């Protein structure tokens, strides 16, 4: 301790009492100091006041001796009480030594420091606000103090400080935010509770607009929301709820873009409460901010899409995610396809400033800049009002996310369906830009046809059908070169006009309508790849082949599909697959309700188009003799059917062949061939029909099919007329332009190839056995 003369104007008795270990003696000394300082105040002797505070600070509060520190603390509190309203002039000198004692190892000393500061702040009131950050910093440490007495004292001081801030209009929020942003990441439960309590207080003060600085603390709030304490989670939930209410009230002043990525991150949190809360915020952001959120679509989709496959345990998250997904999808509009990304700009203006620059240099996150850049897309904001918003659809990023989810075999069915809905939506709204990605998407879309879910396949087919029929897919511009898939003969393909697309008003609606005279370049490519997939994955053909083709006939034009597939199969080198595929197509043609119109078109062959289609189908149908006969039955080419059946005697009759004849007999008894059975009544004009059916009967062994057809033929009236066949002229005026002789020659040629391939296959199978014998 220094000499007593150095501690003047403090009396030696006061100095001794301040150093005493007894609290009562230190309290008496404090009263003496209070009296002394009051005299100096009355005399306006500021130098002596400062000297007293300096002595109490340096010689006592910051002393190495614990009792001296306790004396210094009570002495500084006494000075503050004596100074009264003038204490604001000396607050820095009064507060700093007290705050230093907050770090003391002795819990009793920390308690006395808290008590002293309480008295100082109580006297100074609003004058302490310029020192708020250091007070807050000290309090945040005491909030996590292990000693319950210290914590209790800090809570009293905390409440006092909150009252002062609430009643004052001079709080420096700008200066406080950096400290709040730093401390909000504390992992201590008590510190977190302290932080949240202050955020709730500041949010409740009308003169303090914490919403402007929400991007600085939002991430930390979501971190706290995952705390282990239910009480803290509840407090944080309330705080976030209050902010969201404020956002809904004043959306024009909200910096949506600066918080978008924060929400994207927490929408993927493992904690259910964090994920649900972030998803609810995202839903409101998309609905309130609209296209401002569009540049963040890829991140939002990354977070939202997996949630769509959640089970009932996370039903709430799933429902909110679904709303987010639907709302985001609505933000994509046809205008996004009208110009290049670099030029596209949608301006939302209150009072546009023509001299304002459109873009600014990108600033790092957290610098207070109102601009963010994501994936090369710049979004510009003003703190209060969105004077100009440049919104760009980052289609590359969206497609990358969708493609990634389609490739992920672990994702749920509802997520896959949502991905395909997005792709379909993008092809409808932004076809020109989407066709730049078609070559990369095409393989995975084809693979998705093997999905185990019918719903997924249906959506996948819708996307593929849109790709195949959209005018934007023509080779000029974005489609693949037609040279990659050469076509030996030009097939005229007609595009169905969809009511939904024709209903679009204006030129934009017409641009989206696939009412062009021919299919685009992707249609034929799609048909080729679909058949390749059926060829390489026979199980897909067996289990889903008919389903896929029938749905395509609804989505596209059935005539186009059958015409193009027949054209492709005509050049198929795998003859066994060609035969199987033809059989599948023929079964679909004859039995599916979706193909009623196509069957009617082929039944009479009255138009050049129908005759052209028949000839195209016939040439491929020749891969399977029985299906060729059934096609002739369908098109009422009974004379030709009879001629074909005559040639069956020259074919290699196998069990499979007889099974197909059996199935054809069963098919004749179905409603599809009602007209054919009725024509049996007109023996005079349909002799070759009867003769063809008898030909099938002669091919069959004594089986149930034999009995069925035999009974049918027994119902034919006047069988004796069959003897006069040579006298009856054959009338086939509708199909008179068809060269049936040439078709028969083609049938012989195709069947010869099949016979040759079968013998080669049989030879390869027998060759190893011969080697064994040798």
């Amino acid at each position: 301790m220094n000499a007593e003369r150095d501690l003047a104007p403090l009396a030696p008795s006061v100095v001794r009492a301040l150093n005493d270990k007894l609290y009562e003696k230190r309290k008496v000394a404090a009263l003496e100091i209070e009296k002394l300082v009051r005299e100096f105040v009355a005399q306006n002797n500021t130098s002596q006041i400062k000297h007293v505070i300096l002595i109490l600070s340096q010689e006592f509060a910051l002393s190495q001796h614990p009792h001296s520190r306790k004396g210094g603390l009570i002495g500084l509190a006494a000075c503050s009480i004596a100074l009264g309203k003038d204490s604001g002039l000396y607050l820095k000198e009064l507060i700093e030594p007290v705050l230093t004692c907050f770090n003391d190892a002795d819990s009793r000393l920390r308690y006395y420091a808290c008590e002293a500061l309480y008295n100082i702040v109580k006297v100074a009131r609003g004058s302490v606000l310029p020192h708020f950050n250091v007070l807050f910093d000290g309090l945040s440490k005491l909030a996590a103090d292990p000693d319950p007495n210290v914590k209790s004292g800090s809570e009293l001081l905390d409440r006092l400080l909150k009252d002062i801030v609430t009643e004052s209009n001079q709080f420096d929020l700008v200066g406080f935010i950096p400290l709040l942003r730093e401390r909000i990441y504390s992992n201590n439960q008590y510190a977190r509770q302290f932080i949240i309590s202050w955020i709730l207080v500041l949010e409740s003060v009308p003169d303090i607009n914490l919403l402007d600085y929400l991007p600085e603390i939002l991430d930390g709030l979501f971190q706290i929301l995952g705390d282990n304490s239910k009480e803290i989670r509840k407090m944080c939930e309330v705080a976030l709820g209050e902010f969201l209410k404020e956002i809904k009230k004043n959306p024009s002043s909200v910096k949506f873009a600066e918080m978008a990525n924060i929400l994207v991150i927490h929408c993927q949190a493992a904690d259910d409460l964090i994920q649900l809360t972030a998803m609810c915020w995202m839903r409101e952001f998309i609905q309130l901010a609209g296209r401002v959120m569009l540049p963040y679509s890829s991140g939002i989709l990354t977070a939202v899409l997996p949630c769509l496959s959640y089970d009932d345990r996370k039903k709430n998250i799933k429902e909110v995610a679904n709303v987010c997904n639907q709302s985001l999808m609505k933000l994509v509009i046809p205008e996004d396809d009208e110009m290049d990304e670099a030029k596209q700009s949608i301006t939302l203006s209150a009072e546009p400033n023509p001299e304002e620059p459109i873009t600014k240099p990108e600033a790092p996150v957290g610098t207070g800049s109102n601009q963010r850049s994501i994936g090369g897309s710049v979004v510009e904001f003003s703190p209060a009002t969105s004077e100009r918003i440049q919104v760009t659809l980052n289609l590359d990023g969206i497609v990358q996310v969708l493609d990634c989810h389609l490739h992920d075999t672990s994702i749920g069915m509802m997520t896959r369906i949502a991905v395909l809905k997005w792709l379909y939506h993008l092809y409808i709204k932004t076809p020109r830009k989407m066709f730049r990605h078609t070559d990369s998407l095409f393989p995975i879309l084809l693979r998705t046809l093997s999905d185990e879910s019918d719903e997924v396949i249906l959506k996948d087919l819708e996307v593929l059908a849109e790709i195949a029929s959209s005018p934007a897919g023509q080779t000029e511009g974005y489609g693949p070169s037609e040279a990659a898939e050469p076509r030996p003969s030009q097939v005229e393909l007609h595009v169905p006009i969809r009511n939904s697309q024709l209903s679009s008003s204006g030129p934009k609606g017409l641009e989206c309508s696939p009412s062009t005279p021919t299919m685009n370049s992707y249609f034929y490519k799609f048909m080729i790849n679909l058949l390749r997939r059926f060829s390489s994955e026979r199980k897909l053909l067996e289990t889903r082949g008919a389903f896929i083709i029938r749905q395509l006939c609804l989505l596209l034009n059935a005539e186009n599909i059958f015409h193009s597939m027949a054209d492709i199969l005509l050049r198929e080198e795998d003859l066994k697959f060609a035969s199987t595929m033809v059989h599948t197509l023929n079964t679909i043609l004859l039995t599916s309700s979706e193909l009623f119109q196509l069957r009617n078109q082929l039944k009479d062959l009255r138009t050049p188009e129908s005759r052209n289609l028949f000839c195209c189908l016939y040439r491929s149908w020749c891969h399977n003799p029985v299906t060729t006969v059934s096609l002739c039955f369908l098109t009422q080419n009974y004379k030709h059917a009879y001629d074909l059946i005559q040639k069956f005697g020259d074919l290699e009759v196998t069990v499979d062949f007889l099974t197909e004849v059996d199935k054809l007999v069963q098919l004749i008894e179905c409603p599809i061939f009602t007209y054919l059975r009725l024509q049996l009544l007109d023996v005079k004009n349909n002799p070759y029909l009867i003769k063809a059916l008898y030909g099938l009967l002669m091919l069959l062994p004594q089986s149930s099919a034999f009995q069925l057809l035999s009974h049918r033929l027994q119902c034919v009236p006047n069988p004796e007329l069959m003897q006069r066949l040579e006298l009856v002229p054959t009338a086939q005026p509708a199909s008179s332009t068809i060269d049936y002789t040439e078709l028969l020659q083609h049938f012989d040629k195709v069947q010869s190839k099949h016979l040759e391939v079968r013998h080669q296959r049989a030879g390869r199978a027998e060759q190893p056995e011969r080697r064994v014998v040798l």
Side-chain angles (χ1 to χ4, degrees):
M1 182 65 66
N2 291 337
E4 291 183 2
R5 65 178 180 279
D6 295 333
L7 301 181
L10 297 183
S13 59
V14 171
V15 172
R16 284 194 300 274
L18 284 176
N19 284 305
D20 202 280
K21 64 179 181 179
L22 294 175
Y23 172 76
E24 293 300 329
K25 291 187 177 182
R26 294 197 303 271
K27 187 175 180 181
V28 170
L31 292 172
E32 291 297 321
I33 291 170
E34 182 182 343
K35 188 187 297 183
L36 178 66
V37 172
R38 285 186 190 278
E39 292 176 1
F40 290 149
V41 171
Q43 299 166 8
N44 198 24
N45 192 342
T46 56
S47 60
Q48 283 291 66
I49 295 172
K50 286 182 178 180
H51 189 52
V52 169
I53 293 173
L54 183 64
I55 291 171
L56 291 170
S57 172
Q58 298 296 326
E59 303 298 332
F60 288 91
L62 302 178
S63 170
Q64 296 296 320
H65 196 276
H67 298 311
S68 298
R69 293 201 294 275
K70 292 172 185 175
L73 289 170
I74 197 169
L76 288 169
C79 286
S80 178
I81 292 168
L83 287 167
K85 63 180 181 180
D86 292 333
S87 63
L89 301 171
Y90 309 95
L91 274 177
K92 187 175 185 296
E93 293 82 0
L94 289 167
I95 289 173
E96 284 184 355
V98 177
L99 288 174
T100 302
C101 292
F102 275 13
N103 300 316
D104 201 283
D106 185 353
S107 61
R108 288 295 297 167
L109 211 144
R110 294 198 302 274
Y111 175 79
Y112 287 131
C114 194
E115 185 180 56
L117 190 59
Y118 180 88
N119 287 316
I120 294 169
V121 171
K122 187 176 181 180
V123 171
R125 302 295 296 181
S127 299
V128 301
L129 289 178
H131 308 277
F132 178 81
N133 278 14
V134 292
L135 294 174
F136 182 89
D137 183 51
L139 268 176
S140 66
K141 295 172 183 175
L142 291 187
D145 199 285
D147 187 274
N149 291 323
V150 177
K151 275 184 65 177
S152 177
S154 71
E155 286 170 3
L156 287 171
L157 176 57
D158 182 50
R159 283 199 290 271
L160 174 62
L161 202 56
K162 283 173 180 171
D163 289 341
I164 294 170
V165 170
T166 303
E167 67 189 21
S168 173
N169 59 359
Q170 297 179 348
F171 181 71
D172 182 14
L173 183 62
V174 177
F176 172 59
I177 288 297
L179 179 61
L180 179 61
R181 184 179 60 212
E182 175 193 338
R183 292 304 165 87
I184 203 168
Y185 287 105
S186 171
N187 290 323
N188 184 278
Q189 287 189 350
Y190 298 108
R192 284 179 163 184
Q193 195 169 18
F194 173 78
I195 292 289
I196 291 295
S197 67
W198 267 101
I199 289 173
L200 284 167
V201 167
L202 294 174
E203 175 63 16
S204 67
V205 179
D207 293 333
I208 296 176
N209 185 14
L210 197 56
L211 195 61
D212 277 349
Y213 302 94
L214 184 56
E216 306 285 341
I217 62 172
L218 185 62
D219 179 60
L221 282 171
F222 275 105
Q223 298 273 9
I224 294 175
L225 191 60
D227 195 273
N228 294 326
S229 166
K230 289 183 179 179
E231 184 182 355
I232 294 173
R233 286 165 74 98
K234 187 62 181 176
M235 285 180 66
C236 190
E237 202 174 352
V238 170
L240 286 166
E242 290 300 317
F243 276 121
L244 196 56
K245 286 179 186 176
E246 193 69 23
I247 287 169
K248 290 178 183 178
K249 287 180 185 176
N250 306 290
S252 60
S253 62
V254 179
K255 299 171 183 176
F256 291 105
E258 293 188 26
M259 293 183 277
N261 282 337
I262 297 171
L263 293 183
V264 166
I265 292 167
H266 293 291
C267 280
Q268 301 172 71
D271 184 282
D272 287 357
L273 180 60
I274 295 176
Q275 190 177 26
L276 176 60
T277 307
M279 201 68 75
C280 289
W281 276 61
M282 184 67 78
R283 175 189 62 195
E284 298 300 331
F285 272 38
I286 295 171
Q287 292 176 350
L288 292 170
R291 286 179 60 84
V292 169
M293 301 296 289
L294 208 54
Y296 307 93
S297 298
S298 57
I300 296 171
L301 286 174
T302 300
V304 166
L305 288 173
C307 301
L308 302 178
S309 292
Y310 282 174
D311 55 25
D312 288 342
R313 288 174 296 177
K314 296 186 176 183
K315 185 179 178 182
N316 292 340
I317 299 174
K318 179 180 179 179
E319 289 174 351
V320 179
N322 188 50
V323 175
C324 289
N325 184 54
Q326 297 294 331
S327 301
L328 187 65
M329 193 179 289
K330 291 175 183 176
L331 299 181
V332 181
I333 55 177
E335 284 76 8
D336 289 315
D337 202 37
E338 289 185 352
M339 57 189 79
D340 193 73
E341 285 90 344
K343 298 179 181 178
Q344 182 192 2
S345 171
I346 294 180
T347 303
L348 308 175
S349 58
E351 292 183 6
N353 180 4
E355 297 179 0
E356 182 183 352
I358 293 178
T359 60
K360 301 174 184 176
E362 185 182 355
V365 177
T367 59
S369 168
N370 295 320
Q371 180 181 321
R372 294 289 180 270
S373 179
I374 300 292
S377 304
V378 178
V379 184
E380 185 178 328
F381 290 88
S382 180
T385 59
S386 301
E387 292 184 354
R388 175 172 296 179
I389 302 175
Q390 181 182 351
V391 177
T392 300
L393 176 67
N394 181 13
L395 195 63
D396 292 355
I398 294 175
V399 172
Q400 185 178 0
V401 171
L402 297 175
D403 183 63
C404 181
H405 278 79
L406 269 188
H407 276 89
D408 185 358
T409 55
S410 64
I411 63 170
M413 180 188 74
M414 296 308 297
T415 298
R416 297 198 298 277
I417 290 173
V419 168
L420 293 166
K421 283 182 177 178
W422 259 101
L423 289 172
Y424 181 76
H425 183 73
L426 292 172
Y427 272 110
I428 292 293
K429 297 296 182 183
T430 59
R432 288 186 291 179
K433 289 181 181 177
M434 275 302 293
F435 267 94
R436 298 170 185 172
H437 301 278
T438 299
D439 284 342
S440 61
L441 287 170
F442 210 65
I444 186 60
L445 288 171
L446 285 167
R447 284 200 294 275
T448 306
L449 291 174
S450 302
D451 197 275
E452 59 187 16
S453 165
D454 285 353
E455 292 181 61
V456 173
I457 294 174
L458 278 173
K459 292 300 173 187
D460 191 37
L461 288 171
E462 284 183 16
V463 178
L464 286 165
E466 184 59 33
I467 291 172
S469 61
S470 174
Q474 298 294 353
T475 48
E476 72 274 10
Y478 310 118
S481 173
E482 197 62 20
E485 302 290 356
R487 294 168 61 184
S489 59
Q490 183 65 31
V491 179
E492 187 178 358
L493 302 174
H494 302 279
V495 180
I497 300 175
R498 303 179 194 172
N499 294 332
S500 61
Q501 290 168 323
L502 287 178
S503 63
S504 303
S505 58
K508 293 170 189 172
L510 291 175
E511 287 176 10
C512 295
S513 174
S515 54
T516 51
T518 60
M519 285 287 188
N520 68 34
S521 55
Y522 276 96
F523 175 80
Y524 205 71
K525 183 179 181 181
F526 176 29
M527 292 298 107
I528 289 172
N529 282 279
L530 180 60
L531 289 174
R532 282 178 183 169
R533 190 146 191 86
F534 285 150
S535 177
S536 61
E537 198 173 336
R538 297 299 172 87
K539 187 178 179 182
L540 175 65
L541 176 59
E542 292 170 10
T543 58
R544 299 290 178 80
F547 171 73
I548 290 171
I549 294 169
R550 286 170 59 191
Q551 293 304 317
L552 281 176
C553 288
L554 289 174
L555 294 166
L556 297 169
N557 183 286
E559 181 182 349
N560 289 345
I561 291 167
F562 273 78
H563 208 155
S564 59
M565 283 191 171
D567 184 48
I568 296 162
L569 288 170
L570 191 59
R571 307 187 308 280
E572 177 59 51
E573 295 179 357
D574 185 346
L575 298 184
K576 187 176 181 181
F577 167 70
S579 177
T580 304
M581 194 67 224
V582 163
H583 178 73
T584 301
L585 289 170
N586 186 66
T587 303
I588 296 167
L589 176 63
L590 294 179
T591 61
S592 299
S593 58
E594 295 88 349
L595 295 172
F596 175 78
Q597 290 184 345
L598 187 59
R599 284 196 297 273
N600 275 352
Q601 183 181 342
L602 286 167
K603 190 184 292 183
D604 297 326
L605 300 180
R606 290 178 178 174
T607 63
E609 291 80 11
S610 63
R611 292 193 287 272
N612 180 35
L613 176 61
F614 166 72
C615 291
C616 180
L617 295 181
Y618 181 95
R619 294 179 188 281
S620 287
W621 262 229
C622 286
H623 283 297
N624 191 306
V626 180
T627 59
T628 313
V629 170
S630 67
L631 179 64
C632 291
F633 281 156
L634 174 67
T635 55
Q636 302 184 65
N637 283 300
Y638 303 134
K639 169 70 166 63
H640 193 71
Y642 170 70
D643 292 340
L644 285 172
I645 292 170
Q646 285 290 93
K647 289 185 173 291
F648 283 6
D650 300 328
L651 299 179
E652 185 179 25
V653 177
T654 63
V655 175
D656 290 340
F657 178 87
L658 292 176
T659 302
E660 290 191 18
V661 175
D662 189 300
K663 289 179 180 178
L664 176 57
V665 170
Q666 302 288 342
L667 201 60
I668 290 171
E669 295 297 320
C670 292
I672 298 287
F673 281 115
T674 300
Y675 68 92
L676 181 147
R677 297 196 300 273
L678 288 173
Q679 286 173 348
L680 291 173
L681 296 173
D682 188 1
V683 177
K684 180 179 179 181
N685 290 317
N686 296 294
Y688 282 104
L689 169 59
I690 298 169
K691 201 166 184 179
L693 292 177
Y694 270 106
L696 290 179
L697 188 67
M698 294 303 108
L699 287 170
L700 287 168
Q702 298 285 329
S703 62
S704 58
F706 178 90
Q707 297 297 329
L708 187 66
L709 185 54
S710 176
H711 289 158
R712 174 64 64 186
L713 290 171
Q714 286 173 17
C715 299
V716 176
N718 300 320
E720 66 275 4
L721 292 177
M722 296 283 288
Q723 298 173 3
R724 303 205 315 239
L725 283 175
E726 300 298 329
L727 303 176
V728 179
T730 303
Q732 289 181 316
S735 55
S736 59
T737 58
I738 296 175
D739 186 350
Y740 288 100
T741 303
E742 190 272 334
L743 292 180
L744 278 174
Q745 291 171 353
H746 177 75
F747 177 83
D748 289 338
K749 182 179 178 182
V750 172
Q751 284 306 308
S752 296
K753 285 184 180 179
H754 275 269
L755 183 62
E756 182 182 344
V757 168
R758 278 199 299 272
H759 287 170
Q760 288 175 354
R761 194 182 300 121
R764 286 195 297 270
E766 290 174 6
Q767 195 169 3
E769 295 178 8
R770 289 185 188 138
R771 286 176 184 169
V772 172
V773 173
L774 290 172

